[in-house]
C-alpha cells in the first residue's frame, strides 16, 4: 500500500486542480460563444449543476434546511441568487467582447471587492500588507492594459464594454459571497449553491434558447458538457482543498488562475495555428499580469496573518 499524501500536499494539488479547471474554463466558454448566446450557455450550466448537485444531496439523505431561515435570511438568499446569477451572465457577456486571459485578469478584482465589502458590512480590518497588495494589484492592471488603456476607457467600444461588464461581474460575485457569508450561520454552503442553481433555471429560461442545442455537433456537445461540469468539479476540488489546507493558501494558489489561462491560450495558439486568443501582450502587459497575481496572493496571505 502507498502512504497517504500529507494534508498540505493534498490541499495544494486540489487547489491547483481548481486553478487549472478555472484557467481553462474561459477558453472553452469563448469557443461556445461562437455557437450559442451567453444566456443559453449559462442556462445549461445552471441546469446541469442543479440536477447533479440535487441528486448528490438526495443520495446523501440531506435536506436544504430552508425552514430555519428568518425573513432577513430569505432576503440574503435572494441577494445570493441574484449575485451569482449576475456574475455568471455578466462575465460571459463580457467575455464575448474580450479575450479569455483579459477576462481572467479583470475578474481578479472579485476577491478584492469581497475584502472591501467585509470591511463595510462585517467590520473586518484591512491590514497594511493587504493595502500593499491592493496597490500592487491595481498597478498591475494598469500595466497589463498599457497598450489598450484608450480602449478600456472607451465604453462605447467592444473592448471597453467587455472590461466594464467583467468588472460588474466581479462586483456581483462579491455581493453573492458577502450574502453567503452571512447565511453560513444557518445554512451549509452546498445548500446555498443548490438553491441558487435551482432558482437560476426558471429565471434564465425566458432569455435562453435551449432548442439551439439540437444543432450542435458531437464535439460541440462535448465542449458544452465540459463548460457545464467544469464548475462543479472545480468547486468540489475547492471545497476539499479547504478541508486539507488553510483558506488563505488555497486562495494564493487560485490567484495563479489568470496566468494559467494566458499560458493555455498561448499553448493552443502554438499547437493549433488556426486558433487566435486575441491577446496582444507586450513585456509590460506580462509584468502587469504577474503583479496582479502577486497582489491578489498578498491580500489572501495577509488576511491569514490577521486571523492568526
Amino acid at each position: 500500500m502507498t502512504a497517504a499524501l500529507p494534508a498540505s500536499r493534498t490541499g495544494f494539488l486540489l487547489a491547483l486542480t481548481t486553478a487549472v479547471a478555472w484557467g481553462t474554463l474561459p477558453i472553452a466558454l469563448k469557443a461556445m460563444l461562437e455557437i450559442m448566446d451567453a444566456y443559453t450557455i449559462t442556462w445549461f450550466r445552471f441546469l446541469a449543476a442543479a440536477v447533479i448537485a440535487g441528486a448528490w444531496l438526495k443520495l446523501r439523505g440531506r435536506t436544504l434546511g430552508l425552514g430555519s431561515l428568518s425573513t432577513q435570511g430569505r432576503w440574503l438568499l435572494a441577494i445570493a441568487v441574484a449575485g451569482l446569477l449576475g456574475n455568471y451572465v455578466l462575465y460571459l457577456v463580457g467575455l464575448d467582447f474580450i479575450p479569455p486571459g483579459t477576462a481572467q485578469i479583470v475578474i481578479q478584482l472579485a476577491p478584492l471587492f469581497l475584502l472591501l465589502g467585509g470591511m463595510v458590512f462585517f467590520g473586518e480590518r484591512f491590514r497594511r500588507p493587504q493595502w500593499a497588495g491592493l496597490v500592487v494589484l491595481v498597478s498591475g492592471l494598469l500595466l497589463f492594459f498599457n497598450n489598450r488603456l484608450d480602449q478600456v476607457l472607451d465604453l462605447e467600444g467592444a473592448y471597453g464594454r467587455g472590461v466594464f461588464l467583467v468588472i460588474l461581474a466581479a462586483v456581483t460575485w462579491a455581493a453573492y459571497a458577502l450574502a453567503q457569508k452571512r447565511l453560513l450561520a444557518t445554512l451549509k454552503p452546498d445548500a446555498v449553491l443548490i438553491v441558487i442553481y435551482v432558482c437560476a433555471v426558471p429565471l434564465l429560461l425566458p432569455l435562453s434558447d435551449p432548442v439551439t442545442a439540437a444543432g450542435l455537433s458531437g464535439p460541440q456537445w462535448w465542449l458544452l458538457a465540459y463548460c457545464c461540469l467544469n464548475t462543479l468539479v472545480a468547486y468540489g476540488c475547492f471545497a476539499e482543498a479547504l478541508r486539507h489546507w488553510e483558506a488563505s493558501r488555497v486562495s494564493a494558489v487560485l490567484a495563479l488562475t489568470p496566468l494559467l489561462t494566458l499560458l493555455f491560450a498561448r499553448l493552443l495558439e502554438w499547437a493549433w495555428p488556426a486558433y487566435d486568443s486575441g491577446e496582444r501582450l507586450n513585456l509590460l502587459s506580462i509584468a502587469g499580469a504577474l503583479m496582479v497575481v502577486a497582489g491578489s496572493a498578498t491580500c489572501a496571505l495577509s488576511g491569514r496573518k490577521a486571523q492568526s
Side-chain angles (χ1 to χ4, degrees):
M1 292 179 63
T2 57
L5 288 174
S8 59
R9 188 177 300 177
T10 301
F12 169 75
L13 291 174
L14 288 166
L16 186 60
T17 301
T18 304
V20 170
W22 283 342
T24 55
L25 180 60
I27 298 174
L29 288 172
K30 184 77 171 179
M32 276 305 303
L33 283 168
E34 298 181 5
I35 310 162
M36 272 185 185
D37 64 88
Y39 298 101
T40 304
I41 296 170
T42 307
W43 184 83
F44 274 110
R45 292 178 69 196
F46 276 119
L47 178 65
V51 171
I52 296 172
W56 175 247
L57 189 75
K58 188 173 180 61
L59 284 174
R60 297 175 68 187
R62 287 179 47 198
T63 60
L64 295 176
L66 298 180
S68 61
L69 277 182
S70 62
T71 301
Q72 182 189 46
R74 294 179 188 278
W75 277 109
L76 286 169
L77 191 56
I79 293 171
V81 170
L84 195 60
L85 180 56
N87 169 258
Y88 271 54
V89 171
L90 288 167
Y91 180 85
L92 199 49
V93 175
L95 183 63
D96 205 13
F97 297 110
I98 58 178
T102 300
Q104 287 295 76
I105 288 289
V106 176
I107 203 66
Q108 289 301 300
L109 289 169
L112 173 63
F113 291 145
L114 176 59
L115 287 171
L116 295 174
M119 290 176 61
V120 175
F121 296 106
F122 297 108
E124 297 176 354
R125 295 176 56 197
F126 210 64
R127 301 177 72 248
R128 188 173 299 173
Q130 288 176 299
W131 284 115
L134 168 60
V135 171
V136 171
L137 191 153
V138 173
S139 300
L141 278 173
L142 293 174
L143 272 183
F144 181 80
F145 291 115
N146 73 91
N147 57 345
R148 283 189 164 184
L149 275 177
D150 55 335
Q151 295 179 54
V152 172
L153 297 175
D154 180 15
L155 297 184
E156 294 184 1
Y159 194 84
R161 195 180 313 138
V163 170
F164 178 70
L165 287 169
V166 175
I167 291 174
L168 286 182
V171 172
T172 55
W173 183 87
Y176 145 74
L178 290 167
Q180 186 194 50
K181 184 172 182 176
R182 183 75 76 179
L183 284 166
L184 290 181
T186 51
L187 294 178
K188 292 185 178 296
D190 55 351
V192 176
L193 285 172
I194 290 174
V195 171
I196 294 172
Y197 297 152
V198 171
C199 289
V201 174
L203 288 173
L204 274 176
L205 185 57
L207 300 171
S208 308
D209 187 15
V211 179
T212 57
L216 295 182
S217 65
Q220 290 169 342
W221 267 111
W222 281 112
L223 185 61
L224 179 60
Y226 180 76
C227 292
C228 291
L229 296 176
N230 180 288
T231 301
L232 279 172
V233 172
Y235 270 107
C237 291
F238 175 62
E240 282 298 306
L242 291 176
R243 285 204 314 118
H244 292 86
W245 216 19
E246 295 175 4
S248 58
R249 296 188 186 276
V250 173
S251 297
V253 173
L254 295 182
L256 295 171
T257 300
L259 294 184
L260 292 175
T261 301
L262 292 170
L263 173 62
F264 293 140
R266 184 52 56 91
L267 288 174
L268 263 178
E269 288 177 330
W270 173 75
W272 186 22
Y275 175 76
D276 180 13
S277 68
E279 299 287 359
R280 301 293 180 263
L281 305 180
N282 54 26
L283 288 177
L284 285 178
S285 298
I286 295 171
L290 293 172
M291 288 176 65
V292 168
V293 169
S296 182
T298 298
C299 286
L301 292 171
S302 299
R304 175 180 67 89
K305 293 176 181 178
Q307 296 165 4
S308 62

